[in-house]
Coordinates of all heavy atoms in Angstrom, one line a residue:
M1 N 0.6 4.3 -21.3 CA 0.5 4.7 -19.9 C 1.0 3.5 -19.0 O 0.6 2.4 -19.2 CB -1.0 4.9 -19.6 CG -1.3 5.1 -18.1 SD -3.0 5.6 -17.8 CE -3.9 4.2 -18.3
S2 N 2.0 3.9 -18.1 CA 2.5 2.8 -17.3 C 1.5 2.5 -16.2 O 0.7 3.3 -15.7 CB 3.8 3.3 -16.7 OG 3.5 4.3 -15.8
A3 N 1.4 1.2 -15.9 CA 0.4 0.7 -14.9 C 0.9 0.9 -13.5 O 1.3 -0.1 -12.8 CB 0.1 -0.8 -15.2
H4 N 1.1 2.1 -13.0 CA 1.4 2.4 -11.6 C 0.6 3.5 -11.1 O 0.3 4.5 -11.8 CB 2.9 2.5 -11.4 CG 3.4 3.9 -11.5 ND1 3.5 4.6 -12.7 CD2 3.8 4.8 -10.6 CE1 4.0 5.8 -12.5 NE2 4.1 6.0 -11.2
C5 N 0.3 3.5 -9.8 CA -0.5 4.5 -9.1 C 0.4 5.6 -8.6 O 1.4 5.3 -7.9 CB -1.3 3.8 -8.0 SG -2.3 5.0 -7.0
Q6 N 0.0 6.8 -8.9 CA 0.8 7.9 -8.4 C 0.7 8.1 -6.9 O 1.7 8.6 -6.3 CB 0.4 9.2 -9.1 CG 0.7 9.3 -10.5 CD 0.3 10.6 -11.2 OE1 -0.9 10.9 -11.2 NE2 1.2 11.4 -11.7
L7 N -0.4 7.7 -6.3 CA -0.6 8.0 -4.9 C -0.1 6.8 -4.0 O 0.7 7.0 -3.1 CB -2.1 8.2 -4.6 CG -2.4 8.5 -3.1 CD1 -1.7 9.8 -2.6 CD2 -3.9 8.7 -3.0
T8 N -0.5 5.6 -4.3 CA -0.1 4.4 -3.5 C 1.2 3.7 -4.0 O 1.7 2.9 -3.2 CB -1.3 3.4 -3.4 OG1 -1.5 2.9 -4.8 CG2 -2.5 4.0 -2.9
G9 N 1.6 4.0 -5.2 CA 2.8 3.4 -5.7 C 2.6 1.9 -6.2 O 3.5 1.2 -6.5
R10 N 1.3 1.5 -6.3 CA 1.1 0.1 -6.8 C 1.6 -0.1 -8.2 O 1.3 0.8 -9.0 CB -0.4 -0.2 -6.7 CG -0.9 -0.4 -5.3 CD -2.3 -0.7 -5.3 NE -2.8 -0.8 -3.9 CZ -3.3 -1.8 -3.3 NH1 -3.6 -2.9 -4.1 NH2 -3.7 -1.8 -2.1
K11 N 2.2 -1.2 -8.4 CA 2.8 -1.6 -9.7 C 2.3 -3.0 -10.1 O 1.8 -3.7 -9.2 CB 4.3 -1.5 -9.7 CG 4.9 -0.1 -9.5 CD 6.4 -0.2 -9.4 CE 6.9 1.2 -9.2 NZ 8.3 1.2 -9.0
P12 N 2.5 -3.4 -11.3 CA 2.2 -4.8 -11.7 C 2.9 -5.8 -10.9 O 4.1 -5.6 -10.6 CB 2.5 -4.8 -13.2 CG 2.6 -3.5 -13.6 CD 3.0 -2.6 -12.5
G13 N 2.3 -6.9 -10.6 CA 2.9 -8.1 -10.0 C 3.1 -9.1 -11.1 O 2.4 -9.1 -12.1
F14 N 4.1 -10.0 -10.9 CA 4.4 -11.0 -11.9 C 4.3 -12.3 -11.3 O 4.5 -12.5 -10.1 CB 5.8 -10.7 -12.5 CG 6.0 -9.4 -13.2 CD1 6.3 -8.3 -12.5 CD2 5.7 -9.3 -14.5 CE1 6.4 -7.1 -13.2 CE2 5.8 -8.2 -15.2 CZ 6.2 -7.0 -14.5
G15 N 3.9 -13.3 -12.2 CA 3.7 -14.7 -11.7 C 3.6 -15.6 -12.9 O 4.1 -15.3 -14.0
N16 N 3.0 -16.7 -12.7 CA 2.9 -17.7 -13.7 C 1.4 -18.1 -13.9 O 0.7 -18.2 -13.0 CB 3.7 -19.0 -13.4 CG 5.2 -18.7 -13.4 OD1 5.7 -18.2 -14.4 ND2 5.8 -19.1 -12.3
T17 N 1.1 -18.4 -15.2 CA -0.2 -19.1 -15.5 C 0.1 -20.6 -15.5 O 1.1 -21.0 -16.2 CB -0.7 -18.6 -16.9 OG1 -0.9 -17.2 -16.9 CG2 -2.0 -19.3 -17.2
V18 N -0.6 -21.3 -14.8 CA -0.3 -22.8 -14.7 C -1.5 -23.5 -15.4 O -2.7 -23.4 -15.0 CB -0.2 -23.2 -13.2 CG1 0.1 -24.7 -13.2 CG2 0.8 -22.4 -12.5
S19 N -1.1 -24.2 -16.4 CA -2.2 -24.9 -17.2 C -2.6 -26.2 -16.5 O -2.0 -26.6 -15.5 CB -1.6 -25.2 -18.6 OG -0.6 -26.2 -18.5
H20 N -3.5 -26.9 -17.1 CA -4.0 -28.2 -16.6 C -2.9 -29.2 -16.6 O -2.8 -30.0 -15.7 CB -5.2 -28.7 -17.5 CG -5.7 -30.0 -17.0 ND1 -6.4 -30.2 -15.8 CD2 -5.6 -31.2 -17.6 CE1 -6.7 -31.5 -15.7 NE2 -6.2 -32.1 -16.8
S21 N -2.0 -29.1 -17.6 CA -0.8 -30.1 -17.6 C 0.3 -29.6 -16.7 O 1.4 -30.2 -16.7 CB -0.3 -30.2 -19.0 OG 0.2 -29.0 -19.5
H22 N 0.1 -28.5 -16.0 CA 1.1 -27.9 -15.1 C 2.2 -27.2 -15.7 O 3.3 -27.0 -15.1 CB 1.5 -28.9 -14.1 CG 1.7 -28.3 -12.7 ND1 0.6 -27.8 -12.0 CD2 2.7 -28.2 -11.9 CE1 1.0 -27.3 -10.8 NE2 2.3 -27.5 -10.8
R23 N 2.1 -26.9 -17.0 CA 3.1 -26.0 -17.7 C 3.0 -24.6 -17.2 O 1.9 -24.1 -17.0 CB 3.0 -26.1 -19.2 CG 3.4 -27.4 -19.8 CD 3.3 -27.3 -21.3 NE 4.1 -26.2 -21.8 CZ 4.8 -26.3 -22.9 NH1 4.9 -27.4 -23.6 NH2 5.5 -25.2 -23.3
R24 N 4.1 -23.9 -17.0 CA 4.0 -22.6 -16.5 C 4.5 -21.6 -17.6 O 5.5 -21.8 -18.2 CB 4.9 -22.4 -15.3 CG 4.4 -23.3 -14.1 CD 5.3 -23.0 -12.9 NE 4.6 -23.6 -11.7 CZ 5.0 -24.6 -11.1 NH1 6.1 -25.3 -11.5 NH2 4.3 -25.0 -10.0
T25 N 3.7 -20.5 -17.7 CA 4.0 -19.4 -18.6 C 3.9 -18.1 -17.8 O 3.1 -18.0 -17.0 CB 3.1 -19.4 -19.9 OG1 1.8 -19.3 -19.5 CG2 3.4 -20.6 -20.8
S26 N 4.8 -17.2 -18.2 CA 4.8 -15.9 -17.5 C 3.6 -15.1 -17.7 O 3.0 -15.1 -18.8 CB 6.1 -15.2 -18.0 OG 6.6 -14.4 -16.9
R27 N 3.2 -14.4 -16.7 CA 2.0 -13.5 -16.8 C 2.2 -12.3 -15.9 O 3.1 -12.3 -15.1 CB 0.7 -14.2 -16.5 CG 0.5 -14.6 -15.1 CD -0.9 -14.8 -14.7 NE -1.6 -13.6 -14.7 CZ -2.9 -13.4 -14.4 NH1 -3.6 -14.5 -14.2 NH2 -3.5 -12.3 -14.4
R28 N 1.4 -11.3 -16.0 CA 1.5 -10.1 -15.3 C 0.1 -9.7 -14.7 O -0.9 -9.8 -15.4 CB 1.9 -9.0 -16.3 CG 2.1 -7.6 -15.8 CD 2.7 -6.8 -17.0 NE 2.2 -5.5 -17.0 CZ 2.8 -4.4 -17.3 NH1 4.1 -4.6 -17.8 NH2 2.3 -3.2 -17.2
F29 N 0.1 -9.3 -13.4 CA -1.1 -8.9 -12.7 C -1.1 -7.4 -12.7 O -0.3 -6.8 -11.8 CB -1.2 -9.5 -11.3 CG -1.2 -11.0 -11.3 CD1 0.0 -11.8 -11.2 CD2 -2.4 -11.7 -11.2 CE1 -0.1 -13.1 -11.2 CE2 -2.5 -13.0 -11.2 CZ -1.3 -13.8 -11.1
D30 N -1.9 -6.7 -13.5 CA -1.9 -5.3 -13.5 C -2.9 -4.8 -12.4 O -4.0 -5.3 -12.3 CB -2.4 -4.8 -14.9 CG -1.3 -4.9 -15.9 OD1 -0.1 -4.7 -15.5 OD2 -1.6 -5.0 -17.1
P31 N -2.5 -3.6 -11.8 CA -3.5 -3.0 -10.8 C -4.6 -2.3 -11.6 O -4.4 -2.0 -12.8 CB -2.6 -2.0 -10.1 CG -1.5 -1.7 -11.0 CD -1.3 -3.0 -11.8
N32 N -5.7 -2.1 -11.0 CA -6.9 -1.4 -11.6 C -6.6 0.1 -11.7 O -6.9 0.8 -10.8 CB -8.1 -1.7 -10.8 CG -9.4 -1.2 -11.4 OD1 -9.3 -0.6 -12.5 ND2 -10.5 -1.3 -10.7
I33 N -6.0 0.5 -12.8 CA -5.5 1.9 -12.9 C -6.6 2.7 -13.7 O -7.1 2.3 -14.7 CB -4.2 1.9 -13.7 CG1 -3.1 1.2 -12.9 CG2 -3.8 3.4 -14.1 CD1 -2.7 1.9 -11.6
Q34 N -6.9 3.9 -13.1 CA -7.9 4.8 -13.7 C -7.2 6.2 -13.8 O -6.4 6.6 -13.0 CB -9.1 5.0 -12.8 CG -9.7 3.7 -12.3 CD -10.4 2.9 -13.4 OE1 -11.0 3.5 -14.3 NE2 -10.3 1.6 -13.3
R35 N -7.6 6.9 -14.9 CA -7.1 8.3 -15.0 C -8.3 9.2 -14.6 O -9.4 9.1 -15.1 CB -6.7 8.6 -16.4 CG -5.3 8.1 -16.6 CD -4.7 8.4 -18.0 NE -4.7 9.7 -18.4 CZ -3.7 10.6 -18.1 NH1 -2.7 10.2 -17.3 NH2 -3.7 11.8 -18.6
K36 N -8.1 10.1 -13.6 CA -9.2 10.9 -13.1 C -8.7 12.4 -13.0 O -7.6 12.6 -12.6 CB -9.6 10.4 -11.7 CG -10.7 11.2 -11.1 CD -11.9 10.2 -10.8 CE -12.9 10.9 -9.9 NZ -13.7 11.8 -10.5
R37 N -9.6 13.3 -13.3 CA -9.3 14.7 -13.3 C -10.0 15.3 -12.0 O -11.2 15.1 -11.8 CB -9.9 15.4 -14.5 CG -9.3 16.7 -14.8 CD -9.8 17.2 -16.1 NE -11.1 17.9 -16.0 CZ -11.5 18.9 -16.6 NH1 -10.7 19.4 -17.6 NH2 -12.6 19.4 -16.4
Y38 N -9.2 16.0 -11.2 CA -9.6 16.6 -10.0 C -9.4 18.1 -10.1 O -8.4 18.6 -10.6 CB -8.9 16.1 -8.8 CG -9.2 14.7 -8.4 CD1 -8.3 13.7 -8.7 CD2 -10.3 14.4 -7.6 CE1 -8.6 12.3 -8.4 CE2 -10.6 13.1 -7.2 CZ -9.8 12.1 -7.6 OH -10.0 10.8 -7.2
W39 N -10.3 18.9 -9.4 CA -10.1 20.3 -9.3 C -9.3 20.6 -8.1 O -9.6 20.1 -7.0 CB -11.5 21.0 -9.2 CG -11.4 22.5 -8.9 CD1 -11.7 23.1 -7.7 CD2 -11.0 23.5 -9.8 NE1 -11.5 24.4 -7.9 CE2 -11.0 24.7 -9.1 CE3 -10.5 23.5 -11.1 CZ2 -10.7 25.9 -9.7 CZ3 -10.2 24.7 -11.7 CH2 -10.2 25.9 -11.0
L40 N -8.2 21.3 -8.2 CA -7.3 21.7 -7.1 C -7.5 23.2 -6.8 O -7.0 24.1 -7.5 CB -5.9 21.4 -7.6 CG -4.8 21.4 -6.5 CD1 -5.1 20.2 -5.5 CD2 -3.5 21.1 -7.2
P41 N -8.4 23.4 -5.8 CA -8.8 24.8 -5.4 C -7.6 25.7 -5.1 O -7.6 26.9 -5.4 CB -9.7 24.7 -4.2 CG -10.0 23.2 -4.1 CD -9.0 22.5 -4.9
S42 N -6.6 25.2 -4.4 CA -5.4 26.0 -4.0 C -4.7 26.6 -5.2 O -4.1 27.7 -5.1 CB -4.5 25.2 -3.1 OG -3.9 24.2 -3.8
E43 N -4.7 25.9 -6.3 CA -3.9 26.4 -7.5 C -4.9 26.9 -8.6 O -4.4 27.4 -9.6 CB -3.0 25.3 -8.0 CG -2.0 24.8 -7.0 CD -1.1 23.7 -7.5 OE1 -1.1 23.5 -8.8 OE2 -0.4 23.1 -6.7
G44 N -6.2 26.7 -8.4 CA -7.2 27.2 -9.3 C -7.1 26.5 -10.7 O -7.3 27.1 -11.7
R45 N -6.8 25.2 -10.7 CA -6.7 24.4 -11.9 C -7.0 23.0 -11.7 O -7.2 22.5 -10.5 CB -5.2 24.5 -12.5 CG -4.2 23.8 -11.6 CD -2.8 24.0 -12.1 NE -1.8 23.2 -11.4 CZ -1.3 22.1 -11.7 NH1 -1.6 21.6 -12.9 NH2 -0.4 21.4 -11.0
H46 N -7.2 22.2 -12.8 CA -7.4 20.8 -12.7 C -6.1 20.1 -12.8 O -5.2 20.5 -13.4 CB -8.3 20.4 -13.9 CG -9.7 20.7 -13.8 ND1 -10.2 21.9 -14.4 CD2 -10.8 20.2 -13.1 CE1 -11.5 22.0 -14.1 NE2 -11.9 20.9 -13.4
V47 N -6.1 18.9 -12.1 CA -4.9 18.0 -12.2 C -5.5 16.6 -12.6 O -6.5 16.2 -12.2 CB -4.1 17.9 -10.9 CG1 -3.4 19.2 -10.6 CG2 -5.0 17.4 -9.7
R48 N -4.7 16.0 -13.5 CA -5.1 14.6 -13.9 C -4.2 13.7 -13.3 O -3.0 13.7 -13.5 CB -5.0 14.6 -15.5 CG -5.6 13.3 -16.0 CD -5.7 13.3 -17.5 NE -6.4 14.3 -18.1 CZ -7.7 14.3 -18.3 NH1 -8.4 13.3 -18.0 NH2 -8.3 15.3 -18.9
L49 N -4.7 12.7 -12.5 CA -3.9 11.8 -11.8 C -4.2 10.4 -12.3 O -5.3 10.0 -12.7 CB -4.3 11.8 -10.3 CG -4.0 13.1 -9.6 CD1 -4.5 13.0 -8.1 CD2 -2.6 13.5 -9.7
T50 N -3.2 9.5 -12.3 CA -3.3 8.1 -12.6 C -3.3 7.4 -11.3 O -2.3 7.3 -10.6 CB -2.1 7.7 -13.5 OG1 -2.0 8.5 -14.6 CG2 -2.2 6.3 -14.0
L51 N -4.5 6.8 -11.0 CA -4.6 6.2 -9.6 C -5.2 4.8 -9.8 O -6.0 4.5 -10.7 CB -5.6 7.0 -8.8 CG -5.3 8.5 -8.6 CD1 -6.4 9.2 -7.9 CD2 -4.0 8.6 -7.7
S52 N -4.9 4.0 -8.8 CA -5.5 2.7 -8.7 C -6.9 2.9 -8.0 O -7.2 4.0 -7.5 CB -4.6 1.7 -7.8 OG -4.5 2.2 -6.5
A53 N -7.7 1.8 -8.0 CA -9.0 1.9 -7.4 C -8.8 2.2 -5.9 O -9.6 3.0 -5.3 CB -9.7 0.6 -7.5
K54 N -7.8 1.7 -5.2 CA -7.5 2.0 -3.8 C -7.1 3.5 -3.7 O -7.5 4.1 -2.7 CB -6.4 1.1 -3.3 CG -5.9 1.4 -1.9 CD -6.4 0.5 -0.9 CE -5.9 0.9 0.4 NZ -5.9 -0.2 1.4
G55 N -6.4 4.0 -4.6 CA -5.9 5.4 -4.6 C -7.1 6.3 -4.7 O -7.1 7.4 -4.1
L56 N -8.1 6.0 -5.6 CA -9.3 6.8 -5.7 C -10.1 6.9 -4.4 O -10.5 8.0 -3.9 CB -10.3 6.2 -6.7 CG -9.8 6.3 -8.2 CD1 -10.8 5.4 -9.1 CD2 -9.8 7.7 -8.7
K57 N -10.2 5.7 -3.6 CA -10.8 5.7 -2.3 C -10.0 6.6 -1.3 O -10.6 7.2 -0.5 CB -11.0 4.3 -1.8 CG -11.9 3.5 -2.7 CD -12.0 2.1 -2.2 CE -12.7 1.2 -3.2 NZ -12.6 -0.2 -2.9
T58 N -8.7 6.5 -1.4 CA -7.8 7.3 -0.5 C -8.1 8.8 -0.7 O -8.1 9.5 0.2 CB -6.4 6.9 -0.7 OG1 -6.2 5.5 -0.6 CG2 -5.5 7.6 0.2
V59 N -8.2 9.2 -2.0 CA -8.4 10.6 -2.3 C -9.8 11.0 -1.7 O -9.9 12.1 -1.1 CB -8.4 10.9 -3.8 CG1 -8.9 12.3 -4.1 CG2 -6.9 10.7 -4.3
D60 N -10.8 10.2 -1.8 CA -12.1 10.5 -1.2 C -12.0 10.6 0.3 O -12.7 11.5 0.9 CB -13.1 9.4 -1.5 CG -13.5 9.3 -3.0 OD1 -13.2 10.4 -3.7 OD2 -14.0 8.3 -3.5
T61 N -11.1 9.9 0.9 CA -11.0 9.9 2.4 C -10.2 11.1 2.9 O -10.7 11.9 3.7 CB -10.3 8.6 2.9 OG1 -11.0 7.5 2.4 CG2 -10.2 8.6 4.4
I62 N -9.0 11.4 2.3 CA -8.1 12.4 2.8 C -8.3 13.7 2.1 O -7.8 14.8 2.6 CB -6.6 12.0 2.8 CG1 -6.1 11.8 1.3 CG2 -6.4 10.7 3.6 CD1 -4.6 11.5 1.2
G63 N -8.9 13.7 0.9 CA -9.0 15.0 0.2 C -7.9 15.1 -0.9 O -6.8 14.6 -0.7
I64 N -8.3 15.9 -1.9 CA -7.3 16.1 -3.0 C -6.1 16.9 -2.7 O -5.0 16.6 -3.1 CB -8.0 16.7 -4.3 CG1 -7.1 16.7 -5.5 CG2 -8.6 18.1 -4.0 CD1 -6.7 15.4 -6.0
E65 N -6.2 17.9 -1.8 CA -5.1 18.7 -1.4 C -4.0 17.8 -0.7 O -2.8 17.9 -1.0 CB -5.5 19.8 -0.4 CG -6.5 20.8 -1.0 CD -5.8 21.7 -2.1 OE1 -4.6 21.8 -2.1 OE2 -6.6 22.4 -2.8
A66 N -4.4 17.0 0.3 CA -3.5 16.1 1.0 C -2.9 15.1 0.1 O -1.7 14.7 0.2 CB -4.2 15.4 2.2
A67 N -3.7 14.6 -0.9 CA -3.3 13.5 -1.8 C -2.2 14.1 -2.7 O -1.1 13.5 -2.9 CB -4.4 13.0 -2.6
V68 N -2.4 15.3 -3.2 CA -1.4 16.0 -4.1 C -0.1 16.2 -3.3 O 1.0 16.1 -3.8 CB -2.0 17.2 -4.7 CG1 -0.9 18.1 -5.4 CG2 -3.0 16.9 -5.8
A69 N -0.3 16.6 -2.0 CA 0.9 16.9 -1.2 C 1.7 15.6 -1.0 O 2.9 15.6 -1.0 CB 0.5 17.4 0.2
R70 N 1.0 14.4 -0.8 CA 1.7 13.1 -0.7 C 2.5 12.8 -1.9 O 3.6 12.3 -1.9 CB 0.7 12.0 -0.3 CG 0.4 11.9 1.1 CD -0.4 10.6 1.3 NE -1.1 10.7 2.6 CZ -1.9 9.7 3.1 NH1 -2.1 8.6 2.3 NH2 -2.5 9.8 4.2
I71 N 1.8 13.0 -3.1 CA 2.5 12.7 -4.4 C 3.7 13.5 -4.6 O 4.7 13.1 -5.0 CB 1.4 12.9 -5.5 CG1 0.3 11.9 -5.4 CG2 2.1 12.8 -6.9 CD1 -0.8 12.1 -6.4
R72 N 3.6 14.8 -4.2 CA 4.8 15.7 -4.4 C 5.9 15.4 -3.4 O 7.0 15.5 -3.7 CB 4.3 17.2 -4.2 CG 3.5 17.6 -5.4 CD 3.1 19.1 -5.3 NE 2.5 19.5 -6.6 CZ 1.6 20.5 -6.6 NH1 1.2 21.1 -5.5 NH2 1.0 20.8 -7.8
A73 N 5.5 14.9 -2.2 CA 6.5 14.5 -1.2 C 7.3 13.3 -1.7 O 8.5 13.2 -1.4 CB 5.8 14.2 0.1
R74 N 6.7 12.5 -2.6 CA 7.4 11.3 -3.1 C 8.3 11.8 -4.3 O 9.0 11.0 -4.9 CB 6.5 10.3 -3.6 CG 5.8 9.6 -2.5 CD 4.8 8.5 -3.0 NE 5.4 7.7 -4.0 CZ 4.7 7.0 -4.9 NH1 3.4 7.1 -4.9 NH2 5.3 6.2 -5.8
G75 N 8.2 13.0 -4.7 CA 9.1 13.6 -5.8 C 8.5 13.6 -7.1 O 9.2 13.9 -8.1
E76 N 7.2 13.2 -7.2 CA 6.6 13.2 -8.5 C 6.0 14.6 -8.9 O 5.5 15.3 -8.0 CB 5.4 12.2 -8.6 CG 5.8 10.8 -9.1 CD 4.6 9.9 -9.3 OE1 3.9 10.2 -10.3 OE2 4.5 9.0 -8.6
K77 N 6.0 14.9 -10.1 CA 5.5 16.2 -10.6 C 4.0 16.1 -10.8 O 3.6 15.1 -11.5 CB 6.2 16.7 -11.8 CG 5.9 18.0 -12.3 CD 6.7 18.4 -13.5 CE 6.2 19.7 -14.1 NZ 6.6 20.0 -15.4
V78 N 3.2 17.0 -10.4 CA 1.8 17.0 -10.6 C 1.4 18.3 -11.4 O 1.8 19.3 -11.0 CB 1.0 17.0 -9.3 CG1 -0.5 17.0 -9.5 CG2 1.3 15.7 -8.5

């Protein structure tokens, strides 16, 4: 599963781990990705979305119908 949010578009960030001796090694900051199943009343079916924690809160605020509309507007298949 790729670490990106279908709603907000959040992706991993990259940076360095800096040791005590100040050596730098590459690392990756992954977003908090969750897979959640929602009931979509307009289509009479469930949809499974890959969302970040912020994306989950956004769905709670705007509703699943508006969230799916935003995802489809970005060109992603739901």
Side-chain angles (χ1 to χ4, degrees):
M1 172 172 66
S2 66
H4 91 283
C5 177
Q6 289 181 298
L7 183 58
T8 62
R10 286 181 185 236
K11 292 180 181 173
F14 296 90
N16 292 309
T17 299
V18 183
S19 71
H20 178 69
S21 64
H22 218 63
R23 287 185 56 138
R24 293 184 166 110
T25 53
S26 214
R27 65 159 293 180
R28 180 174 145 146
F29 297 89
D30 284 328
N32 184 6
I33 297 294
Q34 312 290 325
R35 282 181 56 83
K36 180 120 167 78
R37 197 173 85 144
Y38 289 100
W39 174 251
L40 197 58
S42 63
E43 298 180 17
R45 68 185 183 102
H46 286 95
V47 292
R48 189 176 300 275
L49 299 177
T50 305
L51 301 170
S52 62
K54 171 105 181 204
L56 290 171
K57 293 174 191 173
T58 304
V59 170
D60 290 342
T61 304
I62 66 173
I64 186 63
E65 298 287 344
V68 168
R70 278 191 197 179
I71 293 170
R72 288 182 174 151
R74 289 180 50 203
E76 266 190 73
K77 188 179 172 193
V78 177

